[in-house]
Amino acid sequence: MKPNIRLLTQLSGRSVIQHSDLPFIVFCLTISFTCVSGVLGVSPVEIEQHLEMGRKLLAAGQLAEALSHYHSAVEGDSKNYLTYYKRAAVFLAMGKSKSALPDLTRAIQLKPDFLAVSLLSGLLLEKLLRSPDQEEAQNQLHKAEELEELQEEAHKAHHRGDYTTTIQVLDRVIELSPWDPESREMRAECYIRLGEPRKAILDLTPAARLRTDNRAAFLKLSRLLYDLGEHHNSLSEIRECLKLDQDDKECFAHYKQVKKLSKQMDSAEDLISEQRYQEAIDKYESVMRTEPNIPFYTTKAKERICFCLVKIKEAELALDTCSEAHQRDPQNIHILRDRAEAYIQLQDYEKAVEDYQEAREFDQDNQEIREGLERAQKLLKLSRKRDYYKILGVSRSANKQEIIKAYRKLAQQWHPDNFQSETEKKEAEKKFIDIASAKEVLTDPEMRQKFDSGEDPLDPENQQGEGGRGEWPFGFNPFQGGNFHFKFHYN
C-alpha cells in the first residue's frame, strides 16, 4: 500500500495536535512506548530485548546506543511496524527528521490503522514541507513509493522464473534500501539459479547478519563456500548457524561433514610440508572418499597426489594421475608443471617442454614455470647429443650403486679388446668413451646436478678455461694390464 499523503496532511491539522516542535513529540512517544507495547502484539524474545534496551537507553539520553538496538530490532523483524515506529522516535530525538520519515512511512504501510504513527507522520511531514528541506522530504516520500513498487515488480518477476529481470529490479531496490535482508536473499537465490555462486555469496554474507536468527542463510552460505572449495570459510559460517541453535539438525550435519574434510586436507598439506609424501597421498585418497561428489575436492586431491608421486619419483603413476587431473582442470599450471616433471623423469623431454609451454601460456609471469621450461628445453637439447642415463640404461632416479653396476656391465661388453676388426674397435671405442663419461658424471653429485639441470659438464663448450681432464674420463682404468692402449678424446 502506498503512503496516503493526503491522509497524513489531513491528520496533521487535527485540533488535538497543538505542538509542532519535535522535542515535545519525542517526549510523548517515549512515554507511550510501554503502553503501545502492551496493547500490540508480542515480538520474539530477542526483538523485545532490543526494544527494552532501546527504551532504557533513550530514557537515559544515550541516543546512539539506543539507535543501535533499534537497528537490530528492525533487522530482526522487518515486518514489525512497532520497531520502525520506535526507531523513528530515536531519529527524531537526534534531530534527524529526514531519517525518521521513511521509518514512519514504513510503519503506516505495515499497519495503516495505527493512529499514533499517522498523527506523527502527518505532523512531521507538515513540518518538513514548511522547512528549507521540503524538497528532501518530497524525495524521501517518492523513494518510499518507488521502493514499494519495485519490490512488487521483483516478486512478480521472481514468481514467473525471470531471474535476470528480478536481479535488475532488485539492484535498484538494494540501492534504495541497502540493508534489506529479504531483497538480498532473493537476489542471492536468483544468482544461484543463474549459476553465479560468487555473486550470491556477496549478498548472503551481509544478509545472514541482518536478522536476529537467520540460520537458513548461514547454512546456504556455508554450502556455497564448501562447493567452491573454500572449506575454511564454510566452516566459519556453519559455526555461526550453530551459535544460534546448537541443536539445529541441518546445520550440525553439514558442520560434521565440513569439519571432517577440512581436517583431512589440512593434515595432508602438513604432511607435504614435512616431506612425508606417501602419507600425504594416503590422506588425499581419504579426502576423495569423504567427498566424492564435489569436483573441486576430487580434482584438488588428484593434483596433490600427482605432486607427491613426482617427489617420490613414481613417474609412471604420476603421469597417469596428473593426466586425469589435467582433464578435470586444463588450465591448472601446477598440474602441468608436475606432469612435465614426470615426463622429465621418464626422459620424454619433448612432452615436458610442451607442458611447460602450455603452463606458461596461462601464467606468463610465473618464475617457477619459466625456469622449468628453460631446464626442460636444455634437457631436450642435451638429449639430442648425449643422455648419460640412456647410455647406461638407468632411470633418472637411479642411485650410485645402480649406476656403477650398469657401468661395469656395459664397460665389459664394449671394451675395445673384445673386438678384432678395426671398424669394430672404433665403434667400441666410441661406445666405451660414452659409457665411461656417463659413469663419471652420474657418480659425481655436483656434475650430476649440472646434468639434471640441463647442462653437460663434459661438453667442451662448458669446459673453457678448465684444462684437460686426462686420457680417461674417470679416475682409474678398470682394465689396467690389458693389451689395449689408446687415447680418448671428447668430440
Side-chain angles (χ1 to χ4, degrees), residues 267-268 271-272 274 276-284 308:
S267 175
L271 291 168
I272 289 175
E274 296 168 7
R276 295 159 64 184
Y277 299 116
Q278 185 57 59
E279 293 174 72
I281 290 171
D282 296 339
K283 189 64 68 173
Y284 267 118
C308 293

Side-chain angles (χ1 to χ4, degrees), residues 432-452:
F432 191 74
I433 291 173
D434 286 342
I435 292 165
S437 298
K439 183 260 183 185
E440 180 184 18
V441 170
L442 298 183
T443 55
D444 184 295
E446 184 178 347
M447 295 174 72
R448 183 174 181 178
Q449 184 177 5
K450 286 183 179 181
F451 183 75
D452 286 344

